[in-house]
Amino acid sequence: MKRTNPAAFLPLNTILAGDCIEQMNALPEASVDLIFADPPYNLQLKGQLHRPDNSEVDAVDDHWDQFDSFAAYDKFTREWLAAARRLLKPNGAIWVIGSYHNIFRVGSALQDAGYWILNDVVWRKSNPMPNFRGKRFTNAHETMIWASKSEGAKYTFNYEALKSLNEGVQMRSDWVLPICNGGERLKDANGDKAHPTQKPQSLLHRVLVGSTNPGDVVLDPFFGTGTTGAVAKMLGREFIGIEREEAYRKVAEARIAKVRKFDKEALQVSASKRSEPRVPFGQLVERGMLRPGEMLVNTRGKAARVRADGTLATDGFNGSIHQVGAHLENAPSCNGWTYWHFKKDGQTIPIDLLRQQIRAEMN
Ligand SMILES: C[S@@+](CC[C@H](N)C(=O)[O-])C[C@H]1O[C@@H](n2cnc3c(N)ncnc32)[C@H](O)[C@@H]1O
């Protein structure tokens, strides 16, 4: 049977006009790698909000954010989440951003729809808007839910790239980034904000570097000013935007037209060690790189003896290089490849060097 590639029929790098549910239902099934969604918050603002000097706060009171009831919002959420899930490839994933007004409702709808929640990430705003009435805490964060299409899906997670972004420290689930303002904030002809909820590019940069690869297709069903599209273009990803308001589509189109894609070399990110070929420690023994009976040491002189089956033995305890390291350190886990060293010509050399030699032969 001749197979067709659903992605070949995608309207890549365009902004589709209209309702996102209808538009998503018209796109080919299993064709998108990642969905980033910033849906209506359903803020339910009653009356206007004023600052202490009586000036009006520019809050989100737009018609696209109005729903008659929680039930109406839930129905809408369930419908767009179902349409989005149909579009995702089996190993695809979704990010949904929201505030306390909607994110809990979205969370349960995601699980009910069959998505598998991987993390919730708190975006802590380094420069939040103050609470003008002084009656509640300053609302200083939004929550993003990251979920795979289903349990067990092999979603993309560029662990090493995120770690590099964070200066070599594992990326945590709380991200401190400023809200979108200054030169990045798009303005209309009157100098007013072009959109009330434009997200910062830094947020999308981290999302896309962490959970997509160059060439992946990223769809944003609530495109607004096109932050997702702008960052996707810079990072060499393909995007599809859906937005029902013409004014926002125009702003987004003009914005994205000005964006320049980073060059190919700049788009390379640190590869995950997990994607490198697996080399069992036993192979070093089988190949004679380490001899049974040879002593391995750690940097503080703790030692274990190599056995013929690729395990280590020390003080009546034996196990893998990782298990013996963890036992000696009284730690829950240990990376034996970096923990253990062998001695050669008076030098102490990490065993990982031997693994790298084998990997080099495999390439
Ligand atoms: C929270 S804003 C997204 C802002 C965007 N992330 C940005 O950085 O500019 C939600 C957007 O979804 C659009 N929208 C709301 N309901 C929609 C629907 N059913 N179909 C398509 N777009 C919709 C609104 O017009 C609004 O621009």
mmCIF file of all heavy atoms in Angstrom, residues 273 276-277 279-281 283-285 287 289-290 296-297 321 335-345 347-363:
data_model
loop_
_atom_site.group_PDB
_atom_site.id
_atom_site.type_symbol
_atom_site.label_atom_id
_atom_site.label_comp_id
_atom_site.label_asym_id
_atom_site.label_seq_id
_atom_site.Cartn_x
_atom_site.Cartn_y
_atom_site.Cartn_z
ATOM 1 N N LYS A 273 23.063 12.808 26.081
ATOM 2 C CA LYS A 273 23.994 11.681 26.190
ATOM 3 C C LYS A 273 23.236 10.378 25.926
ATOM 4 O O LYS A 273 23.763 9.421 25.455
ATOM 5 C CB LYS A 273 24.617 11.662 27.575
ATOM 6 C CG LYS A 273 25.490 12.879 27.799
ATOM 7 C CD LYS A 273 26.591 12.602 28.792
ATOM 8 C CE LYS A 273 27.569 13.756 28.869
ATOM 9 N NZ LYS A 273 27.173 14.802 29.801
ATOM 10 N N GLU A 276 23.433 8.811 22.567
ATOM 11 C CA GLU A 276 24.671 8.184 22.110
ATOM 12 C C GLU A 276 24.551 6.668 22.310
ATOM 13 O O GLU A 276 23.816 6.213 23.181
ATOM 14 C CB GLU A 276 25.845 8.736 22.927
ATOM 15 C CG GLU A 276 26.081 10.208 22.655
ATOM 16 C CD GLU A 276 27.298 10.737 23.386
ATOM 17 O OE1 GLU A 276 28.385 10.673 22.799
ATOM 18 O OE2 GLU A 276 27.164 11.201 24.512
ATOM 19 N N PRO A 277 25.278 5.881 21.485
ATOM 20 C CA PRO A 277 25.123 4.426 21.613
ATOM 21 C C PRO A 277 25.501 3.926 23.008
ATOM 22 O O PRO A 277 26.460 4.409 23.610
ATOM 23 C CB PRO A 277 26.062 3.882 20.540
ATOM 24 C CG PRO A 277 26.883 5.017 20.052
ATOM 25 C CD PRO A 277 26.218 6.287 20.451
ATOM 26 N N VAL A 279 27.062 1.658 25.739
ATOM 27 C CA VAL A 279 28.209 0.755 25.844
ATOM 28 C C VAL A 279 28.182 0.145 27.247
ATOM 29 O O VAL A 279 28.381 0.845 28.234
ATOM 30 C CB VAL A 279 29.549 1.520 25.650
ATOM 31 C CG1 VAL A 279 30.733 0.583 25.825
ATOM 32 C CG2 VAL A 279 29.607 2.208 24.297
ATOM 33 N N PRO A 280 27.920 -1.167 27.357
ATOM 34 C CA PRO A 280 27.941 -1.764 28.699
ATOM 35 C C PRO A 280 29.372 -1.812 29.229
ATOM 36 O O PRO A 280 30.314 -2.034 28.450
ATOM 37 C CB PRO A 280 27.371 -3.165 28.485
ATOM 38 C CG PRO A 280 27.049 -3.287 27.050
ATOM 39 C CD PRO A 280 27.613 -2.124 26.310
ATOM 40 N N PHE A 281 29.517 -1.643 30.535
ATOM 41 C CA PHE A 281 30.850 -1.684 31.130
ATOM 42 C C PHE A 281 31.540 -3.019 30.829
ATOM 43 O O PHE A 281 32.753 -3.078 30.603
ATOM 44 C CB PHE A 281 30.736 -1.446 32.648
ATOM 45 C CG PHE A 281 32.044 -1.574 33.370
ATOM 46 C CD1 PHE A 281 33.007 -0.575 33.272
ATOM 47 C CD2 PHE A 281 32.332 -2.707 34.137
ATOM 48 C CE1 PHE A 281 34.232 -0.692 33.926
ATOM 49 C CE2 PHE A 281 33.546 -2.837 34.788
ATOM 50 C CZ PHE A 281 34.493 -1.823 34.683
ATOM 51 N N GLN A 283 31.703 -4.631 28.278
ATOM 52 C CA GLN A 283 32.419 -4.642 26.999
ATOM 53 C C GLN A 283 33.883 -4.227 27.161
ATOM 54 O O GLN A 283 34.761 -4.698 26.441
ATOM 55 C CB GLN A 283 31.723 -3.699 26.013
ATOM 56 C CG GLN A 283 31.787 -4.237 24.608
ATOM 57 C CD GLN A 283 31.116 -3.314 23.632
ATOM 58 O OE1 GLN A 283 31.800 -2.596 22.916
ATOM 59 N NE2 GLN A 283 29.804 -3.321 23.598
ATOM 60 N N LEU A 284 34.142 -3.336 28.122
ATOM 61 C CA LEU A 284 35.529 -2.915 28.371
ATOM 62 C C LEU A 284 36.353 -4.109 28.858
ATOM 63 O O LEU A 284 37.538 -4.239 28.537
ATOM 64 C CB LEU A 284 35.560 -1.805 29.439
ATOM 65 C CG LEU A 284 35.377 -0.360 29.001
ATOM 66 C CD1 LEU A 284 34.093 -0.154 28.223
ATOM 67 C CD2 LEU A 284 35.395 0.575 30.194
ATOM 68 N N VAL A 285 35.695 -4.987 29.637
ATOM 69 C CA VAL A 285 36.382 -6.173 30.173
ATOM 70 C C VAL A 285 36.556 -7.196 29.053
ATOM 71 O O VAL A 285 37.655 -7.723 28.845
ATOM 72 C CB VAL A 285 35.566 -6.770 31.353
ATOM 73 C CG1 VAL A 285 36.302 -7.956 31.969
ATOM 74 C CG2 VAL A 285 35.304 -5.692 32.405
ATOM 75 N N ARG A 287 36.790 -6.759 25.957
ATOM 76 C CA ARG A 287 37.755 -6.321 24.956
ATOM 77 C C ARG A 287 39.164 -6.152 25.508
ATOM 78 O O ARG A 287 40.068 -5.677 24.822
ATOM 79 C CB ARG A 287 37.286 -5.012 24.332
ATOM 80 C CG ARG A 287 35.997 -5.227 23.550
ATOM 81 C CD ARG A 287 35.485 -3.963 22.954
ATOM 82 N NE ARG A 287 36.512 -3.272 22.189
ATOM 83 C CZ ARG A 287 36.249 -2.402 21.224
ATOM 84 N NH1 ARG A 287 35.007 -2.156 20.893
ATOM 85 N NH2 ARG A 287 37.217 -1.799 20.599
ATOM 86 N N MET A 289 40.259 -4.023 27.679
ATOM 87 C CA MET A 289 40.668 -2.654 28.033
ATOM 88 C C MET A 289 40.880 -2.560 29.545
ATOM 89 O O MET A 289 41.680 -1.773 30.034
ATOM 90 C CB MET A 289 39.592 -1.650 27.581
ATOM 91 C CG MET A 289 39.461 -1.591 26.055
ATOM 92 S SD MET A 289 37.950 -0.740 25.588
ATOM 93 C CE MET A 289 38.596 0.597 24.631
ATOM 94 N N LEU A 290 40.132 -3.364 30.281
ATOM 95 C CA LEU A 290 40.334 -3.517 31.730
ATOM 96 C C LEU A 290 40.381 -5.018 31.992
ATOM 97 O O LEU A 290 39.631 -5.781 31.376
ATOM 98 C CB LEU A 290 39.178 -2.886 32.509
ATOM 99 C CG LEU A 290 39.042 -1.369 32.423
ATOM 100 C CD1 LEU A 290 37.721 -0.931 33.059
ATOM 101 C CD2 LEU A 290 40.211 -0.657 33.105
ATOM 102 N N LEU A 296 39.845 -0.443 40.379
ATOM 103 C CA LEU A 296 39.372 0.890 39.988
ATOM 104 C C LEU A 296 39.313 1.735 41.250
ATOM 105 O O LEU A 296 39.040 1.213 42.334
ATOM 106 C CB LEU A 296 37.964 0.821 39.362
ATOM 107 C CG LEU A 296 37.829 0.026 38.064
ATOM 108 C CD1 LEU A 296 36.406 0.187 37.510
ATOM 109 C CD2 LEU A 296 38.852 0.456 37.018
ATOM 110 N N VAL A 297 39.545 3.035 41.102
ATOM 111 C CA VAL A 297 39.519 3.920 42.281
ATOM 112 C C VAL A 297 38.640 5.133 41.987
ATOM 113 O O VAL A 297 38.445 5.497 40.824
ATOM 114 C CB VAL A 297 40.941 4.434 42.656
ATOM 115 C CG1 VAL A 297 41.792 3.308 43.216
ATOM 116 C CG2 VAL A 297 41.622 5.106 41.460
ATOM 117 N N ILE A 321 28.972 -0.927 38.093
ATOM 118 C CA ILE A 321 29.830 0.225 38.435
ATOM 119 C C ILE A 321 29.002 1.303 39.158
ATOM 120 O O ILE A 321 29.516 1.987 40.038
ATOM 121 C CB ILE A 321 30.519 0.831 37.180
ATOM 122 C CG1 ILE A 321 29.512 1.102 36.051
ATOM 123 C CG2 ILE A 321 31.654 -0.043 36.700
ATOM 124 C CD1 ILE A 321 30.079 1.906 34.879
ATOM 125 N N ASN A 335 26.742 7.836 39.033
ATOM 126 C CA ASN A 335 27.143 7.596 37.648
ATOM 127 C C ASN A 335 28.529 6.960 37.673
ATOM 128 O O ASN A 335 29.531 7.657 37.830
ATOM 129 C CB ASN A 335 27.139 8.905 36.856
ATOM 130 C CG ASN A 335 27.566 8.686 35.409
ATOM 131 O OD1 ASN A 335 27.980 7.581 35.022
ATOM 132 N ND2 ASN A 335 27.466 9.718 34.605
ATOM 133 N N GLY A 336 28.566 5.644 37.534
ATOM 134 C CA GLY A 336 29.822 4.909 37.633
ATOM 135 C C GLY A 336 30.845 5.324 36.580
ATOM 136 O O GLY A 336 32.053 5.237 36.798
ATOM 137 N N TRP A 337 30.347 5.803 35.430
ATOM 138 C CA TRP A 337 31.264 6.165 34.346
ATOM 139 C C TRP A 337 32.147 7.349 34.730
ATOM 140 O O TRP A 337 33.297 7.440 34.304
ATOM 141 C CB TRP A 337 30.482 6.496 33.072
ATOM 142 C CG TRP A 337 29.905 5.271 32.434
ATOM 143 C CD1 TRP A 337 28.603 4.892 32.418
ATOM 144 C CD2 TRP A 337 30.619 4.246 31.751
ATOM 145 N NE1 TRP A 337 28.445 3.697 31.773
ATOM 146 C CE2 TRP A 337 29.677 3.278 31.339
ATOM 147 C CE3 TRP A 337 31.972 4.029 31.441
ATOM 148 C CZ2 TRP A 337 30.030 2.132 30.635
ATOM 149 C CZ3 TRP A 337 32.323 2.890 30.732
ATOM 150 C CH2 TRP A 337 31.370 1.955 30.342
ATOM 151 N N THR A 338 31.621 8.262 35.515
ATOM 152 C CA THR A 338 32.443 9.405 35.918
ATOM 153 C C THR A 338 33.082 9.172 37.284
ATOM 154 O O THR A 338 34.070 9.808 37.642
ATOM 155 C CB THR A 338 31.602 10.704 35.953
ATOM 156 O OG1 THR A 338 30.397 10.434 36.683
ATOM 157 C CG2 THR A 338 31.246 11.183 34.565
ATOM 158 N N TYR A 339 32.512 8.238 38.039
ATOM 159 C CA TYR A 339 32.993 7.986 39.413
ATOM 160 C C TYR A 339 34.292 7.180 39.427
ATOM 161 O O TYR A 339 35.206 7.456 40.181
ATOM 162 C CB TYR A 339 31.892 7.239 40.168
ATOM 163 C CG TYR A 339 32.179 6.958 41.618
ATOM 164 C CD1 TYR A 339 31.950 7.927 42.586
ATOM 165 C CD2 TYR A 339 32.666 5.705 42.027
ATOM 166 C CE1 TYR A 339 32.192 7.673 43.927
ATOM 167 C CE2 TYR A 339 32.908 5.439 43.370
ATOM 168 C CZ TYR A 339 32.673 6.424 44.308
ATOM 169 O OH TYR A 339 32.922 6.166 45.630
ATOM 170 N N TRP A 340 34.379 6.162 38.534
ATOM 171 C CA TRP A 340 35.516 5.233 38.603
ATOM 172 C C TRP A 340 36.650 5.605 37.637
ATOM 173 O O TRP A 340 36.397 6.069 36.531
ATOM 174 C CB TRP A 340 35.050 3.808 38.271
ATOM 175 C CG TRP A 340 34.158 3.227 39.340
ATOM 176 C CD1 TRP A 340 32.841 2.932 39.222
ATOM 177 C CD2 TRP A 340 34.536 2.895 40.672
ATOM 178 N NE1 TRP A 340 32.352 2.429 40.406
ATOM 179 C CE2 TRP A 340 33.383 2.397 41.326
ATOM 180 C CE3 TRP A 340 35.744 2.968 41.396
ATOM 181 C CZ2 TRP A 340 33.393 1.977 42.642
ATOM 182 C CZ3 TRP A 340 35.740 2.543 42.716
ATOM 183 C CH2 TRP A 340 34.581 2.051 43.330
ATOM 184 N N HIS A 341 37.887 5.349 38.109
ATOM 185 C CA HIS A 341 39.089 5.627 37.315
ATOM 186 C C HIS A 341 39.975 4.388 37.330
ATOM 187 O O HIS A 341 39.922 3.594 38.267
ATOM 188 C CB HIS A 341 39.872 6.796 37.929
ATOM 189 C CG HIS A 341 39.102 8.088 37.968
ATOM 190 N ND1 HIS A 341 37.957 8.256 38.713
ATOM 191 C CD2 HIS A 341 39.326 9.269 37.345
ATOM 192 C CE1 HIS A 341 37.496 9.493 38.554
ATOM 193 N NE2 HIS A 341 38.317 10.128 37.720
ATOM 194 N N PHE A 342 40.783 4.249 36.303
ATOM 195 C CA PHE A 342 41.787 3.183 36.319
ATOM 196 C C PHE A 342 43.167 3.831 36.296
ATOM 197 O O PHE A 342 43.296 5.017 35.970
ATOM 198 C CB PHE A 342 41.591 2.209 35.143
ATOM 199 C CG PHE A 342 41.805 2.819 33.780
ATOM 200 C CD1 PHE A 342 43.011 2.646 33.097
ATOM 201 C CD2 PHE A 342 40.810 3.577 33.179
ATOM 202 C CE1 PHE A 342 43.209 3.195 31.848
ATOM 203 C CE2 PHE A 342 41.008 4.139 31.922
ATOM 204 C CZ PHE A 342 42.204 3.955 31.261
ATOM 205 N N LYS A 343 44.175 3.039 36.660
ATOM 206 C CA LYS A 343 45.529 3.603 36.728
ATOM 207 C C LYS A 343 46.361 3.102 35.553
ATOM 208 O O LYS A 343 46.335 1.918 35.235
ATOM 209 C CB LYS A 343 46.191 3.217 38.041
ATOM 210 C CG LYS A 343 45.542 3.916 39.219
ATOM 211 C CD LYS A 343 46.498 4.026 40.392
ATOM 212 C CE LYS A 343 45.922 4.974 41.421
ATOM 213 N NZ LYS A 343 46.201 4.603 42.772
ATOM 214 N N LYS A 344 47.063 4.043 34.926
ATOM 215 C CA LYS A 344 47.947 3.651 33.816
ATOM 216 C C LYS A 344 49.171 4.568 33.840
ATOM 217 O O LYS A 344 49.005 5.802 33.904
ATOM 218 C CB LYS A 344 47.205 3.804 32.492
ATOM 219 C CG LYS A 344 47.936 3.132 31.367
ATOM 220 C CD LYS A 344 47.135 3.061 30.108
ATOM 221 C CE LYS A 344 47.988 2.354 29.084
ATOM 222 N NZ LYS A 344 47.655 2.704 27.760
ATOM 223 N N ASP A 345 50.348 3.960 33.824
ATOM 224 C CA ASP A 345 51.610 4.706 33.824
ATOM 225 C C ASP A 345 51.604 5.795 34.897
ATOM 226 O O ASP A 345 51.945 6.964 34.636
ATOM 227 C CB ASP A 345 51.863 5.344 32.449
ATOM 228 C CG ASP A 345 51.857 4.308 31.335
ATOM 229 O OD1 ASP A 345 52.237 3.154 31.630
ATOM 230 O OD2 ASP A 345 51.449 4.643 30.209
ATOM 231 N N GLN A 347 49.197 7.355 36.095
ATOM 232 C CA GLN A 347 48.113 8.349 35.978
ATOM 233 C C GLN A 347 46.769 7.729 36.329
ATOM 234 O O GLN A 347 46.572 6.527 36.141
ATOM 235 C CB GLN A 347 48.041 8.856 34.545
ATOM 236 C CG GLN A 347 49.082 9.904 34.244
ATOM 237 C CD GLN A 347 48.812 10.513 32.892
ATOM 238 O OE1 GLN A 347 48.607 9.778 31.931
ATOM 239 N NE2 GLN A 347 48.812 11.825 32.838
ATOM 240 N N THR A 348 45.848 8.557 36.820
ATOM 241 C CA THR A 348 44.499 8.082 37.132
ATOM 242 C C THR A 348 43.565 8.599 36.052
ATOM 243 O O THR A 348 43.415 9.810 35.876
ATOM 244 C CB THR A 348 44.076 8.617 38.517
ATOM 245 O OG1 THR A 348 45.108 8.285 39.438
ATOM 246 C CG2 THR A 348 42.778 8.008 39.003
ATOM 247 N N ILE A 349 42.939 7.668 35.313
ATOM 248 C CA ILE A 349 42.161 8.057 34.118
ATOM 249 C C ILE A 349 40.707 7.601 34.277
ATOM 250 O O ILE A 349 40.466 6.443 34.659
ATOM 251 C CB ILE A 349 42.782 7.398 32.857
ATOM 252 C CG1 ILE A 349 44.255 7.811 32.748
ATOM 253 C CG2 ILE A 349 42.018 7.759 31.595
ATOM 254 C CD1 ILE A 349 45.057 6.962 31.793
ATOM 255 N N PRO A 350 39.729 8.482 33.995
ATOM 256 C CA PRO A 350 38.324 8.052 34.124
ATOM 257 C C PRO A 350 37.984 6.936 33.143
ATOM 258 O O PRO A 350 38.421 6.970 31.987
ATOM 259 C CB PRO A 350 37.507 9.310 33.796
ATOM 260 C CG PRO A 350 38.472 10.397 33.527
ATOM 261 C CD PRO A 350 39.871 9.872 33.535
ATOM 262 N N ILE A 351 37.204 5.961 33.603
ATOM 263 C CA ILE A 351 36.845 4.837 32.708
ATOM 264 C C ILE A 351 35.988 5.328 31.536
ATOM 265 O O ILE A 351 35.899 4.674 30.502
ATOM 266 C CB ILE A 351 36.118 3.692 33.457
ATOM 267 C CG1 ILE A 351 34.854 4.200 34.155
ATOM 268 C CG2 ILE A 351 37.049 2.987 34.429
ATOM 269 C CD1 ILE A 351 33.976 3.073 34.687
ATOM 270 N N ASP A 352 35.379 6.500 31.694
ATOM 271 C CA ASP A 352 34.543 7.040 30.609
ATOM 272 C C ASP A 352 35.353 7.234 29.323
ATOM 273 O O ASP A 352 34.823 7.187 28.220
ATOM 274 C CB ASP A 352 33.919 8.371 31.046
ATOM 275 C CG ASP A 352 32.657 8.678 30.250
ATOM 276 O OD1 ASP A 352 32.029 7.719 29.752
ATOM 277 O OD2 ASP A 352 32.309 9.853 30.117
ATOM 278 N N LEU A 353 36.669 7.441 29.502
ATOM 279 C CA LEU A 353 37.526 7.636 28.332
ATOM 280 C C LEU A 353 37.527 6.381 27.458
ATOM 281 O O LEU A 353 37.529 6.457 26.226
ATOM 282 C CB LEU A 353 38.947 7.939 28.800
ATOM 283 C CG LEU A 353 39.747 8.852 27.909
ATOM 284 C CD1 LEU A 353 39.245 10.282 28.079
ATOM 285 C CD2 LEU A 353 41.220 8.771 28.262
ATOM 286 N N LEU A 354 37.485 5.210 28.123
ATOM 287 C CA LEU A 354 37.469 3.940 27.380
ATOM 288 C C LEU A 354 36.139 3.796 26.644
ATOM 289 O O LEU A 354 36.081 3.332 25.504
ATOM 290 C CB LEU A 354 37.686 2.766 28.342
ATOM 291 C CG LEU A 354 39.010 2.813 29.124
ATOM 292 C CD1 LEU A 354 39.076 1.668 30.137
ATOM 293 C CD2 LEU A 354 40.215 2.723 28.167
ATOM 294 N N ARG A 355 35.042 4.226 27.323
ATOM 295 C CA ARG A 355 33.732 4.169 26.664
ATOM 296 C C ARG A 355 33.729 5.072 25.423
ATOM 297 O O ARG A 355 33.211 4.703 24.371
ATOM 298 C CB ARG A 355 32.647 4.610 27.651
ATOM 299 C CG ARG A 355 31.271 4.612 27.028
ATOM 300 C CD ARG A 355 30.165 4.789 28.036
ATOM 301 N NE ARG A 355 30.115 6.109 28.650
ATOM 302 C CZ ARG A 355 29.036 6.619 29.230
ATOM 303 N NH1 ARG A 355 27.934 5.897 29.303
ATOM 304 N NH2 ARG A 355 29.062 7.811 29.781
ATOM 305 N N GLN A 356 34.348 6.259 25.569
ATOM 306 C CA GLN A 356 34.387 7.181 24.418
ATOM 307 C C GLN A 356 35.161 6.591 23.247
ATOM 308 O O GLN A 356 34.809 6.776 22.092
ATOM 309 C CB GLN A 356 34.992 8.521 24.835
ATOM 310 C CG GLN A 356 34.027 9.394 25.618
ATOM 311 C CD GLN A 356 34.726 10.574 26.273
ATOM 312 O OE1 GLN A 356 35.758 11.034 25.810
ATOM 313 N NE2 GLN A 356 34.180 11.032 27.378
ATOM 314 N N GLN A 357 36.245 5.840 23.585
ATOM 315 C CA GLN A 357 37.023 5.194 22.505
ATOM 316 C C GLN A 357 36.131 4.225 21.725
ATOM 317 O O GLN A 357 36.145 4.193 20.501
ATOM 318 C CB GLN A 357 38.184 4.392 23.108
ATOM 319 C CG GLN A 357 39.437 5.219 23.290
ATOM 320 C CD GLN A 357 40.538 4.388 23.958
ATOM 321 O OE1 GLN A 357 40.613 3.170 23.805
ATOM 322 N NE2 GLN A 357 41.369 5.067 24.738
ATOM 323 N N ILE A 358 35.327 3.448 22.445
ATOM 324 C CA ILE A 358 34.451 2.475 21.784
ATOM 325 C C ILE A 358 33.423 3.196 20.951
ATOM 326 O O ILE A 358 33.131 2.834 19.805
ATOM 327 C CB ILE A 358 33.783 1.540 22.830
ATOM 328 C CG1 ILE A 358 34.847 0.732 23.558
ATOM 329 C CG2 ILE A 358 32.745 0.635 22.165
ATOM 330 C CD1 ILE A 358 34.308 -0.233 24.614
ATOM 331 N N ARG A 359 32.849 4.288 21.525
ATOM 332 C CA ARG A 359 31.823 5.040 20.772
ATOM 333 C C ARG A 359 32.399 5.641 19.494
ATOM 334 O O ARG A 359 31.738 5.661 18.453
ATOM 335 C CB ARG A 359 31.260 6.165 21.647
ATOM 336 C CG ARG A 359 30.210 5.648 22.589
ATOM 337 C CD ARG A 359 29.508 6.793 23.254
ATOM 338 N NE ARG A 359 28.435 6.294 24.095
ATOM 339 C CZ ARG A 359 28.074 6.825 25.243
ATOM 340 N NH1 ARG A 359 28.705 7.881 25.709
ATOM 341 N NH2 ARG A 359 27.071 6.326 25.919
ATOM 342 N N ALA A 360 33.649 6.108 19.577
ATOM 343 C CA ALA A 360 34.286 6.712 18.392
ATOM 344 C C ALA A 360 34.386 5.678 17.271
ATOM 345 O O ALA A 360 34.210 5.995 16.083
ATOM 346 C CB ALA A 360 35.651 7.264 18.744
ATOM 347 N N GLU A 361 34.649 4.407 17.654
ATOM 348 C CA GLU A 361 34.735 3.342 16.630
ATOM 349 C C GLU A 361 33.370 3.074 15.988
ATOM 350 O O GLU A 361 33.277 2.636 14.854
ATOM 351 C CB GLU A 361 35.182 2.010 17.273
ATOM 352 C CG GLU A 361 36.600 2.018 17.760
ATOM 353 C CD GLU A 361 36.860 0.817 18.673
ATOM 354 O OE1 GLU A 361 36.056 -0.141 18.677
ATOM 355 O OE2 GLU A 361 37.877 0.838 19.392
ATOM 356 N N MET A 362 32.304 3.320 16.791
ATOM 357 C CA MET A 362 30.955 3.018 16.281
ATOM 358 C C MET A 362 30.473 4.043 15.276
ATOM 359 O O MET A 362 29.554 3.792 14.500
ATOM 360 C CB MET A 362 29.951 3.013 17.451
ATOM 361 C CG MET A 362 30.104 1.836 18.375
ATOM 362 S SD MET A 362 29.125 2.137 19.846
ATOM 363 C CE MET A 362 28.876 0.492 20.436
ATOM 364 N N ASN A 363 31.041 5.269 15.300
ATOM 365 C CA ASN A 363 30.547 6.337 14.418
ATOM 366 C C ASN A 363 31.091 6.233 12.996
ATOM 367 O O ASN A 363 32.136 5.747 12.765
ATOM 368 C CB ASN A 363 30.912 7.719 14.989
ATOM 369 C CG ASN A 363 30.086 7.987 16.220
ATOM 370 O OD1 ASN A 363 28.957 7.564 16.329
ATOM 371 N ND2 ASN A 363 30.686 8.679 17.176
#
